Amino acid sequence: MYELLFWRYQDGIYLNHHLVYEAIIEEQEVIGLEELPVTVILNRINKLFSQWEKVDDNSWKNNKGKGAFQIKTTPQSIQIDCYGTEGKIMNQLVDALAEFNCPLYDPQVPERYDEMSE
């Protein structure tokens, strides 16, 4: 599994990314993060991956190739767990969240890909 996490800081707020990640994994509210339009984001991903089999409300499977992913949400975050998913597909997910000003945090590295840096 490869994790992709997304959140958006409130204006003027910049926190330790790894601590934010840990709080999100524990489904804790993080002061300093904006609430996201979760339903709109899920609809966007659903549209982008309409050719994939929708296994349940938050899971997609590629029946024409490799890969599957599952999305977990909180009001402040989107977590996408990728299973055997190719890099170009993960990039499509990253690009979709970028449309909502939610840069990627890659906990495997760990690094957040935005214009700010710690």
Side-chain angles (χ1 to χ4, degrees), residues 26-76:
E26 296 296 322
E27 298 182 6
Q28 298 172 357
E29 182 178 349
V30 179
I31 294 172
L33 298 188
E34 289 189 18
E35 290 210 0
L36 301 178
V38 172
T39 302
V40 175
I41 292 169
L42 290 174
N43 287 341
R44 176 69 177 130
I45 291 171
N46 198 40
K47 185 176 180 182
L48 280 173
F49 292 90
S50 62
Q51 301 300 313
W52 287 39
E53 176 186 346
K54 194 154 184 206
V55 179
D56 59 35
D57 284 346
N58 298 311
S59 302
W60 289 258
K61 177 182 174 185
N62 186 356
N63 284 332
K64 297 178 182 171
K66 298 187 332 181
F69 62 89
Q70 180 179 36
I71 299 178
K72 299 173 189 170
T73 64
T74 72
Q76 299 177 313

Side-chain angles (χ1 to χ4, degrees), residues 2-118:
Y2 201 96
E3 284 182 298
L4 307 173
L5 269 99
F6 305 88
W7 65 81
R8 187 169 54 207
Y9 289 116
Q10 293 173 350
D11 287 340
I13 302 290
Y14 200 69
L15 305 171
N16 179 293
H17 306 314
H18 189 73
L19 295 178
V20 171
Y21 163 75
E22 288 178 347
I24 288 170
I25 294 302
E26 296 296 322
E27 298 182 6
Q28 298 172 357
E29 182 178 349
V30 179
I31 294 172
L33 298 188
E34 289 189 18
E35 290 210 0
L36 301 178
V38 172
T39 302
V40 175
I41 292 169
L42 290 174
N43 287 341
R44 176 69 177 130
I45 291 171
N46 198 40
K47 185 176 180 182
L48 280 173
F49 292 90
S50 62
Q51 301 300 313
W52 287 39
E53 176 186 346
K54 194 154 184 206
V55 179
D56 59 35
D57 284 346
N58 298 311
S59 302
W60 289 258
K61 177 182 174 185
N62 186 356
N63 284 332
K64 297 178 182 171
K66 298 187 332 181
F69 62 89
Q70 180 179 36
I71 299 178
K72 299 173 189 170
T73 64
T74 72
Q76 299 177 313
S77 67
I78 304 288
Q79 176 184 346
I80 305 176
D81 295 335
C82 299
Y83 303 91
T85 307
E86 295 178 347
K88 71 177 187 171
I89 299 300
M90 287 192 277
N91 287 339
Q92 284 181 291
L93 292 164
V94 170
D95 291 345
L97 271 292
E99 294 173 20
F100 298 93
N101 297 314
C102 293
L104 168 66
Y105 175 74
D106 184 338
Q108 288 82 200
V109 177
E111 189 169 337
R112 182 168 160 95
Y113 296 92
D114 62 5
E115 68 281 355
M116 305 289 288
S117 61
E118 282 187 46

